[in-house]
Amino acid sequence: MSAPPRPGANGWLGEVEGLQVNLNAAMAMLTSLNRTSTDGRPRLVDLGMPLFTDPPAHHSGSTT
């Protein structure tokens, strides 16, 4: 039985790079899934506190 073909010898470097990108994305997704909660509830996300830099606008009208 002969050795499998080498990517560089056959001009397959682009395909190999594409497969590596896909593998890296799949590994990142698996890592992300492993960090999710196991009880089925979504994880909490810290959205932080909003930062208001402008003073509130004042309206000079009737509020009735």
Side-chain angles (χ1 to χ4, degrees):
M1 180 173 227
S2 64
R6 299 183 58 141
N10 293 317
W12 298 342
L13 293 179
E15 287 84 355
V16 172
E17 185 177 335
L19 290 171
Q20 188 63 49
V21 168
N22 288 338
L23 177 61
N24 291 343
M27 294 301 287
M29 176 62 77
L30 287 173
T31 300
S32 172
L33 290 172
N34 286 335
R35 282 186 273 165
T36 60
S37 101
T38 57
D39 62 1
R41 295 183 300 164
R43 290 181 35 199
L44 297 178
V45 176
D46 181 15
L47 300 177
M49 291 294 294
L51 177 63
F52 299 104
T53 57
D54 296 330
H58 290 58
H59 297 286
S60 61
S62 168
T63 60
T64 58

